[in-house]
Amino acid sequence: MSESSCDARASKEVKESENVAEKFSSMSASRSGGDELPPAFSAVPAHKPVKKQIQFVTSEDKQEFSKFPTKAGRRSLSRSISQSSTDSYSSAASYTDSSDDETSPRDKTQINSKGSSDFCVKNIKQAEFGRREIEIAEQDMSALISLRKRAQGEKPLAGAKIVGCTHITAQTAVLIETLVALGAQCRWTACNIYSTQNEVAAALSEAGVAVFAWKGESEADFWWCIDRCVGTEAWQPNMILDDGGDLTHWVYKKYPNVFKKIRGIVEESVTGVHRLYQLSKAGKLCVPAMNVNDSVTKQKFDNLYCCRESILDGLKRTTDMMFGGKQVVVCGYGEVGKGCCSALKALGAIVCVTEIDPICALQACMDGFRVVKLNEVIRQVDMIITCTGNKNVVTREQLDRVKNGCIVCNMGHSNTEIDVASLRTPELTWERVRSQVDHVIWPDGKRVVLLAEGRLLNLSCSTVPTFVLSITATTQALALIELYNAPEGRYKQDVYLLPKKMDEYVASLHLPTFDAHLTELSDEQAKYLGLNKNGPFKPNYYRY
Amino acid sequence: MSVQVVAAKMAEVELKDIPSKELAPVSPVTPKAEDKGLVKNEPNVAAAAPSSSAAAAAAPETLTRGEPSLCPTPSPNPVKMPQASAMKRTDAQQNGGETFIGRDGAVAEAPRMKKIQFADQKQEFNKRPTKIGRRSLSRSISQSSTDSYSSAASYTDSSDDETSPRDKQQKNSKGSSDFCIKNIKQADFGRREIEIAEQEMPALMALRKRAQGEKPLAGAKVVGCTHITAQTAVLMETLSALGAQCRWAACNIYSTQNEVAAALAEGGFSVFAWKGESEDDFWWCIDRCVNVEGWQPNMILDDGGDLTHWIYKKYPNMFKKIKGIVEESVTGVHRLYQLSKAGKLCVPAMNVNDSVTKQKFDNLYCCRESILDGLKRTTDVMFGGKQVVVCGYGEVGKGCCAALKAMGSIVYVTEIDPICALQACMDGFRLVKLSEVIRQVDIVITCTGNKNVVVREYLDRMKNGCIVCNMGHSNTEIDVASLRTPELTWERVRSQVDHVIWPDGKRIVLLAEGRLLNLSCSTVPTFVLSITATTQALALIELYNAPEGRYKQDVYLLPKKMDEYVASLHLPTFDAHLTELTEEQAKYLGLNKNGPFKPNYYRY
């Protein structure tokens, strides 16, 4: 693993730590593990990120980063990346990766079939592969497709000039092409230096969307791409779709005048939302912003539903264990913990829960789980799953006491929950038994099975279904439509949650997948309930 | 009966302040007659109840069957009294009204008839209370259903003493006569009831122990108006142990456990309540509670808003000394928000109804169990393999679905809200429209909070033997009135269970006549009441001890920290061991080690 790639990775990683970088660092780590030496012995990726970033950091920016982002959040991951893990979860993302072309895309001039060269991608010739990927993704994103159909007549985004900065994957491509179908012009860049699917970027460029992104950008490339997106004379954006806040940040720093024309920002990630709230607090937010991260539908899918499946998937793929009768302790009973517990219980595992919050603890009790302290069960459990969002939940002292063969993994936040660093001591032997699976061997022969080196199991060893990404993409599209079409004065210079009605619309667009038939209120019933027949159906404080 | 319709009419009268004693002008129509008849009827039925449940079962049938003719539903006649009764009906059902109906059948409409003299009070009732809300019910009431759910609540009920407690002079063993209850001699029975309740309310007992040293309510003078049951008694005695003085009245004319009231009076509490008060008695009791020389309350604990209303109308000066109001019911909270909106709320008020813990227990956990219990007790149905359609996937619906799925039923869900619909899909339930499955299902359960969810047309298409019941709101969800037609035969097969027989012989099984199954045919566990009572106690402590300025003249939700404390007090019951944050972890999360642990918008 080269030092430079390490740096580049690290530089993006802090910002993204709870997002995707987790995944990428793990992937590149394991990839190199394939060819060279096991990553266990390479520079501990877990600690690299700290040195990172940012060329034009002002003190105030640091402050925006310094606060701990809300731990409820978690980011959805492009499927393409995790998709690869269906074959071999250590393989790299994109199948065109192995191209030997080492020229930087910045130095190449490429032209698409329409003669435009306003893009910068790895290789425009991959467009057809990318188109196939996009078509496959469209199959699973019927909500966006039906949105295209429903709104195509009226073109609700006619005149919108959207500059976007997200993962560039087949799913994003479906989103972008939906926005275009609704009348918008788009320029796009990647929010992560590793996540771009080159062939998808090529397909988008071929279709006329100005895309500036390739897999394996350097830090400088990253900002160059963003700048190329925004800094054009002829084209001034009036909407921003951001994921992580980098684009917003760049515009804010470099082209503050652009904000005069901007109607709104749509931000998806925890980190980006946190930065927006900071800006808003400081009175520096000069346009309305929409926080789509905390919409009900997205939260439920990113956390509860997604983790309920990926915990089983991740454990099976890595360890092939049977769950029936196994004693499992799940640390934390938030949305992620609830998902893990219900999945494990359904397979016959004996599940205990640890919690710090008495309300969640009581929920665990009422759902039939024993609430314990980790120390009380640590000797007897076969599996430890952390999903607290906290740090050092499983410490060395506890790892010393677990029984032989105990599986330890993290579903929660970043890589802080298991104190992996404390296992890097001379008396313990690390043995990589397969990708993402390490045996840590104590002097007495006891082995602990550590998954993904304490990073997120669901990102490292499992897939994120397109359906979940479809929820996010639909939410983003509706947020853009809402902000763009809102009458003057509805949104001020503040950060807003997606209106409940839009949230409900996202859900309703996904119902046909289940062949679900929604009941409609009769006029009489709507009157009785004091509701509009078309929603919103619940008060804002409703907890679902 | 549509509350909305009533509300619209109500607007005409809302501004007149009719003096308290003057009944709203009543058209010669029914309600009054109904009122009288029922009130007269009540003691008889009560007397009959212990002798034979068959007699008890027979009586209600005739009475309640008469109902539709007595209560002109979409009244073309905008008179006030029917409106009042309609309003109160919502109220009573949100509260405990249902059970009283369930208890002896005979009183079907009685609780709804009570009170409401102030026209402007109606305005506060106008709006439909939030449908999420639902009130916990005193266990004593529902407890009775463990023997026979049609029997009366309190075992001292059958006393033949017909003298009104208001006319009797009673003294407790300490010589005090500052109370008014049915019979002080029942105190020993009541004490036993209270002791049993204490066993199941460990949270309040722990609160007593933890806070007894510091007496956080020292100097508090609490005037309360709630159901008077053994569980409330545990609450009152806890408040007293924490240093408060209490005076108490009943918030419902039927729910009082006389022997518990007696035990409380014997214990030195000024209690004014008995089972079967008249409308007039009801307000007299409240007044006696508040209007006393040498004692001015500084805290109000209310359930339904009647006490607050009375003080507001009669003794507005009293609010000068009042530090806060704690309100438990949906209705009461709604009234407080109205007051606050109108700028008329002059003290801080705490809405304990919407606390997370209470909501989860009242709805999700409670209904998850009572749906099975209620169905088993009434019909003895086997659930495995049965096709069930649950209308509505809110907290109640989620509970019902989870329980039925666990029993092996095939569950369908209907929803109007796409978010909840998607939740149902992801939880593995087929989302359908009712009309699509109505022919094939064995059980129809409504929990929407809506009206006319199951209409006659659907009932006509159901298959033979289909069970129809309501877990949701009031009695509006199933259009029972549409079944009262000549061609259909009603057959009461046992208490709370009617067979409605179509001309072709098809039978559908209607439970509790479309009223709430969980209140009529099942019990509310003391544990759930313990959650509520603990929440109330902590709200009182919080309001009483809050530094000046923390609470202004507004309605507040219980602080999250208190909500968490309620939960933590109940954890020992499960032998649950809460993990504590280390200093380092707390710092990392940016949290206080002792909570609150979640942001306010967290959805749990």
Side-chain angles (χ1 to χ4, degrees):
Chain A
M1 179 184 303
S2 78
E3 192 51 37
S4 71
S5 88
C6 233
D7 275 346
R9 185 175 70 241
S11 74
K12 287 293 292 171
E13 200 162 21
V14 163
K15 187 172 44 188
E16 298 278 3
S17 63
E18 54 191 350
N19 303 351
V20 189
E22 201 45 49
K23 166 73 177 179
F24 293 103
S25 68
S26 72
M27 292 210 19
S28 46
S30 46
R31 210 176 344 139
S32 62
D35 336 332
E36 301 156 25
L37 69 171
F41 302 111
S42 72
V44 191
H47 291 267
K48 272 283 174 193
V50 185
K51 36 170 167 152
K52 74 160 253 166
Q53 136 135 103
I54 281 194
Q55 286 104 324
F56 42 125
V57 178
T58 65
S59 61
E60 145 219 333
D61 291 324
K62 270 182 202 150
Q63 191 200 350
E64 282 164 29
F65 281 109
S66 64
K67 292 263 173 67
F68 171 76
T70 99
K71 66 172 172 159
R74 139 189 311 262
R75 269 281 305 294
S76 59
L77 224 284
S78 108
R79 171 162 173 265
S80 67
I81 295 152
S82 27
Q83 188 186 35
S84 59
S85 48
T86 28
D87 347 314
S88 145
Y89 31 88
S90 67
S91 78
S94 143
Y95 48 74
T96 48
D97 229 11
S98 49
S99 115
D100 338 315
D101 183 3
E102 289 303 329
T103 335
S104 162
R106 280 167 74 169
D107 304 331
K108 288 195 281 191
T109 312
Q110 298 181 83
I111 292 180
N112 71 9
S113 59
K114 285 163 205 137
S116 164
S117 64
D118 185 18
F119 60 87
C120 185
V121 299
K122 186 78 174 178
N123 185 355
I124 188 74
K125 291 182 194 133
Q126 298 169 344
E128 272 180 46
F129 289 108
R131 180 53 52 193
R132 214 190 83 208
E133 284 273 304
I134 295 171
E135 277 162 9
I136 294 171
E138 281 175 359
Q139 301 301 315
D140 281 334
M141 300 180 84
S142 50
L144 279 181
I145 304 300
S146 70
L147 187 63
R148 279 187 208 176
K149 273 189 205 133
R150 287 199 207 182
Q152 208 161 16
E154 41 173 320
K155 301 261 181 206
L157 288 176
K161 295 178 177 177
I162 302 172
V163 58
C165 175
T166 65
H167 298 287
I168 296 196
T169 62
Q171 288 80 20
T172 314
V174 179
L175 169 63
I176 294 172
E177 296 192 340
T178 305
L179 297 177
V180 171
L182 298 183
Q185 293 173 34
C186 296
R187 294 176 73 85
W188 228 261
T189 178
C191 72
N192 185 292
I193 52 178
Y194 280 103
S195 68
T196 304
Q197 281 180 291
N198 283 333
E199 65 282 8
V200 170
L204 283 170
S205 301
E206 174 62 33
V209 178
V211 173
F212 301 86
W214 57 94
K215 188 175 163 65
E217 296 168 8
S218 71
E219 176 82 20
D221 292 339
F222 178 78
W223 296 110
W224 179 85
C225 285
I226 289 186
D227 195 65
R228 281 293 306 273
C229 247
V230 187
T232 50
E233 286 294 315
W235 194 87
Q236 279 226 332
N238 52 22
M239 302 287 299
I240 294 179
L241 177 64
D242 206 353
D243 183 341
D246 290 322
L247 172 61
T248 309
H249 183 76
W250 183 266
V251 175
Y252 177 69
K253 283 287 159 208
K254 287 278 183 171
Y255 307 100
N257 281 333
V258 169
F259 275 117
K260 284 182 194 151
K261 293 226 173 170
I262 298 258
R263 293 220 199 164
I265 303 170
V266 172
E267 170 60 55
E268 193 216 321
S269 74
V270 184
T271 326
V273 164
H274 183 69
R275 291 166 92 172
L276 285 174
Y277 277 116
Q278 291 281 330
L279 269 185
S280 158
K281 223 173 178 177
K284 288 184 188 162
L285 188 69
C286 43
V287 293
M290 193 77 87
N291 164 5
V292 298
N293 178 63
D294 289 312
S295 83
V296 187
T297 322
K298 181 170 181 301
Q299 282 287 333
K300 287 276 175 199
F301 271 89
D302 280 4
N303 298 299
L304 180 63
Y305 300 134
C306 203
C307 294
R308 191 173 66 181
E309 310 203 351
S310 59
I311 180 66
L312 302 181
D313 184 28
L315 285 169
K316 278 281 186 202
R317 286 192 200 188
T318 47
T319 67
D320 286 323
M321 74 175 309
M322 289 278 289
F323 294 100
K326 286 285 193 304
Q327 297 199 46
V328 185
V329 61
V330 175
C331 304
Y333 201 68
E335 293 280 343
V336 177
K338 288 183 177 86
C340 292
C341 287
S342 76
L344 291 164
K345 189 184 192 183
L347 288 189
I350 301 158
V351 183
C352 301
V353 169
T354 75
E355 241 310 333
I356 58 158
D357 179 340
I359 297 180
C360 294
L362 198 55
Q363 288 183 304
C365 291
M366 291 303 290
D367 292 341
F369 301 108
R370 298 261 307 127
V371 177
V372 297
K373 292 190 181 184
L374 188 54
N375 280 333
E376 298 164 3
V377 293
I378 194 80
R379 283 182 187 284
Q380 75 207 47
V381 293
D382 301 296
M383 208 187 306
I384 301 171
I385 299 164
T386 61
C387 22
T388 65
N390 204 340
K391 69 189 269 193
N392 294 348
V393 175
V394 181
T395 60
R396 170 66 189 266
E397 184 242 337
Q398 283 157 337
L399 290 166
D400 283 341
R401 288 160 63 203
V402 300
K403 72 182 187 190
N404 185 31
C406 180
I407 296 168
V408 184
C409 64
N410 172 26
M411 289 285 291
H413 169 72
S414 182
N415 55 1
T416 55
E417 308 211 10
I418 302 165
D419 187 4
V420 176
S422 72
L423 293 176
R424 310 265 184 199
T425 52
E427 79 275 21
L428 301 186
T429 315
W430 282 60
E431 196 175 281
R432 161 133 312 192
V433 296
R434 70 184 82 149
S435 165
Q436 308 290 354
V437 184
D438 288 293
H439 282 186
V440 183
I441 306 164
W442 264 249
D444 65 357
K446 177 183 92 172
R447 285 165 188 252
V448 169
V449 182
L450 178 65
L451 302 185
E453 293 180 74
R455 290 184 303 262
L456 292 178
L457 180 74
N458 48 332
L459 297 192
S460 305
C461 315
S462 168
T463 61
V464 176
T466 297
F467 191 72
V468 172
L469 299 172
S470 168
I471 297 265
T472 305
T474 314
T475 309
Q476 288 171 319
L478 287 176
L480 284 170
I481 294 175
E482 168 71 16
L483 272 180
Y484 188 70
N485 292 294
E488 191 103 9
R490 178 183 294 173
Y491 297 104
K492 307 204 172 51
Q493 296 169 2
D494 206 345
V495 186
Y496 293 86
L497 282 175
L498 192 68
K500 186 161 293 271
K501 203 166 166 179
M502 287 296 185
D503 216 345
E504 288 173 350
Y505 191 52
V506 173
S508 72
L509 283 172
H510 286 87
L511 286 175
T513 312
F514 300 99
D515 189 24
H517 302 176
L518 205 59
T519 305
E520 274 179 30
L521 288 175
S522 68
D523 288 327
E524 183 204 11
Q525 288 175 328
K527 199 174 156 208
Y528 176 74
L529 294 174
L531 293 176
N532 184 309
K533 272 176 81 169
N534 302 314
F537 298 101
K538 299 288 190 300
N540 275 329
Y541 59 81
Y542 188 72
R543 294 193 186 93
Y544 291 95
Chain B
M1 177 175 300
S2 151
V3 176
Q4 228 57 33
V5 170
V6 172
K9 290 171 194 154
M10 210 70 84
E12 303 161 17
V13 277
E14 70 193 21
L15 291 177
K16 293 177 218 155
D17 188 3
I18 298 167
S20 64
K21 291 296 169 186
E22 178 188 331
L23 274 177
V26 184
S27 73
V29 226
T30 54
K32 197 154 191 200
E34 185 194 355
D35 188 10
K36 270 191 199 150
L38 285 166
V39 170
K40 239 191 268 163
N41 225 329
E42 208 273 329
N44 301 342
V45 175
S51 59
S52 103
S53 63
E61 197 185 347
T62 46
L63 265 174
T64 37
R65 271 218 220 160
E67 175 193 331
S69 56
L70 285 174
C71 260
T73 321
S75 169
N77 200 1
V79 286
K80 281 159 200 160
M81 200 49 196
Q83 290 162 7
S85 91
M87 284 331 285
K88 202 55 197 178
R89 173 185 217 151
T90 341
D91 186 30
Q93 280 151 359
Q94 293 269 344
N95 301 355
E98 281 297 329
T99 319
F100 312 124
I101 300 155
R103 193 179 63 231
D104 50 16
V107 260
E109 295 301 300
R112 297 166 193 165
M113 294 309 303
K114 72 153 202 177
K115 45 186 159 169
I116 302 267
Q117 283 135 339
F118 306 106
D120 73 326
Q121 174 184 345
K122 287 171 202 160
Q123 185 204 358
E124 284 158 28
F125 280 109
N126 261 346
K127 294 263 177 66
R128 193 182 67 88
T130 100
K131 65 171 172 163
I132 314 160
R134 139 191 311 262
R135 267 283 305 297
S136 58
L137 224 282
S138 109
R139 172 164 172 266
S140 67
I141 294 153
S142 25
Q143 189 186 34
S144 59
S145 47
T146 28
D147 345 314
S148 147
Y149 30 86
S150 66
S151 78
S154 139
Y155 48 74
T156 47
D157 232 10
S158 48
S159 116
D160 336 317
D161 184 0
E162 290 301 330
T163 335
S164 162
R166 280 166 76 171
D167 306 331
K168 284 196 283 190
Q169 273 292 338
Q170 295 182 86
K171 274 190 184 171
N172 70 10
S173 60
K174 287 162 202 137
S176 163
S177 63
D178 186 17
F179 60 86
C180 185
I181 55 161
K182 187 79 173 176
N183 185 356
I184 187 74
K185 291 182 193 133
Q186 298 168 344
D188 281 344
F189 289 107
R191 178 53 52 192
R192 216 189 81 207
E193 283 272 303
I194 295 172
E195 277 161 10
I196 293 171
E198 282 174 359
Q199 301 300 317
E200 294 179 70
M201 301 180 85
L204 280 181
M205 303 310 280
L207 190 63
R208 278 189 207 178
K209 272 191 205 131
R210 287 201 205 181
Q212 207 160 21
E214 41 174 320
K215 303 261 180 206
L217 288 177
K221 293 176 179 176
V222 183
V223 59
C225 177
T226 66
H227 297 286
I228 295 194
T229 62
Q231 288 80 21
T232 314
V234 179
L235 171 63
M236 285 169 70
E237 296 189 341
T238 305
L239 296 178
S240 167
L242 300 182
Q245 294 173 31
C246 300
R247 292 177 74 85
W248 228 261
C251 71
N252 185 294
I253 54 177
Y254 281 102
S255 67
T256 304
Q257 281 179 294
N258 282 333
E259 66 281 7
V260 169
L264 284 169
E266 175 61 33
F269 290 94
S270 300
V271 174
F272 301 86
W274 57 94
K275 187 178 162 66
E277 295 167 6
S278 71
E279 174 83 22
D280 187 52
D281 292 339
F282 178 79
W283 296 108
W284 179 85
C285 284
I286 289 187
D287 195 65
R288 280 292 307 271
C289 246
V290 185
N291 181 19
V292 50
E293 289 284 318
W295 195 89
Q296 277 224 338
N298 52 23
M299 300 289 298
I300 297 177
L301 178 63
D302 206 353
D303 183 338
D306 290 322
L307 172 61
T308 308
H309 183 77
W310 183 266
I311 296 179
Y312 178 68
K313 281 288 156 207
K314 285 280 185 168
Y315 309 102
N317 281 332
M318 222 169 246
F319 277 116
K320 284 182 193 150
K321 294 226 170 172
I322 294 216
K323 288 203 177 185
I325 302 170
V326 173
E327 170 61 54
E328 193 216 321
S329 73
V330 183
T331 326
V333 164
H334 182 70
R335 292 165 88 170
L336 285 173
Y337 278 115
Q338 292 281 330
L339 268 185
S340 158
K341 221 173 180 176
K344 288 184 188 163
L345 188 68
C346 42
V347 293
M350 194 76 90
N351 163 5
V352 298
N353 178 63
D354 289 312
S355 83
V356 186
T357 322
K358 181 171 181 299
Q359 282 286 335
K360 287 276 176 197
F361 271 88
D362 280 5
N363 298 301
L364 181 63
Y365 300 136
C366 206
C367 294
R368 192 173 63 180
E369 310 204 351
S370 59
I371 180 66
L372 301 182
D373 184 27
L375 285 170
K376 277 282 185 204
R377 285 191 202 190
T378 47
T379 65
D380 288 320
V381 64
M382 284 280 289
F383 295 104
K386 285 285 191 304
Q387 297 198 49
V388 184
V389 60
V390 175
C391 304
Y393 201 68
E395 292 279 343
V396 176
K398 288 182 176 90
C400 292
C401 288
L404 291 164
K405 189 183 192 185
M407 300 299 286
S409 301
I410 300 156
V411 183
Y412 303 96
V413 171
T414 74
E415 239 313 332
I416 57 155
D417 178 341
I419 298 180
C420 294
L422 198 56
Q423 288 182 305
C425 291
M426 290 302 291
D427 291 342
F429 300 108
R430 293 270 304 132
L431 193 81
V432 297
K433 293 190 181 186
L434 189 54
S435 57
E436 297 165 1
V437 293
I438 196 72
R439 282 183 189 283
Q440 75 205 54
V441 292
D442 303 295
I443 304 175
V444 179
I445 300 166
T446 59
C447 23
T448 64
N450 203 340
K451 68 186 274 193
N452 294 347
V453 176
V454 180
V455 292
R456 172 66 187 266
E457 182 213 336
Y458 293 145
L459 292 160
D460 283 341
R461 286 158 63 200
M462 282 172 193
K463 72 182 189 191
N464 186 30
C466 183
I467 298 169
V468 184
C469 65
N470 171 25
M471 289 286 290
H473 168 73
S474 180
N475 56 357
T476 56
E477 309 211 7
I478 303 164
D479 188 4
V480 176
S482 72
L483 293 175
R484 311 266 184 198
T485 51
E487 79 275 20
L488 301 185
T489 315
W490 282 60
E491 196 174 282
R492 163 134 310 190
V493 295
R494 68 184 84 151
S495 166
Q496 307 292 351
V497 184
D498 287 294
H499 281 186
V500 182
I501 306 164
W502 265 250
D504 64 356
K506 177 183 94 170
R507 287 167 186 250
I508 67 157
V509 182
L510 178 66
L511 303 185
E513 293 181 73
R515 290 183 304 259
L516 292 176
L517 179 74
N518 48 333
L519 296 190
S520 305
C521 314
S522 168
T523 62
V524 177
T526 297
F527 192 72
V528 172
L529 299 172
S530 169
I531 297 266
T532 305
T534 313
T535 310
Q536 288 171 318
L538 286 176
L540 283 172
I541 294 175
E542 169 70 17
L543 273 180
Y544 188 69
N545 291 295
E548 191 103 11
R550 179 183 294 173
Y551 296 105
K552 305 201 173 52
Q553 296 170 2
D554 206 346
V555 187
Y556 292 87
L557 281 176
L558 192 68
K560 187 160 293 268
K561 204 166 166 177
M562 286 295 184
D563 215 344
E564 289 173 350
Y565 192 53
V566 172
S568 73
L569 284 171
H570 287 87
L571 287 176
T573 311
F574 301 100
D575 190 24
H577 302 175
L578 207 60
T579 306
E580 276 178 27
L581 288 175
T582 65
E583 298 287 350
E584 185 204 7
Q585 289 175 328
K587 202 175 151 206
Y588 177 74
L589 294 177
L591 292 176
N592 185 309
K593 273 177 75 171
N594 302 313
F597 297 102
K598 299 287 191 299
N600 275 329
Y601 60 80
Y602 189 73
R603 295 194 184 93
Y604 292 93

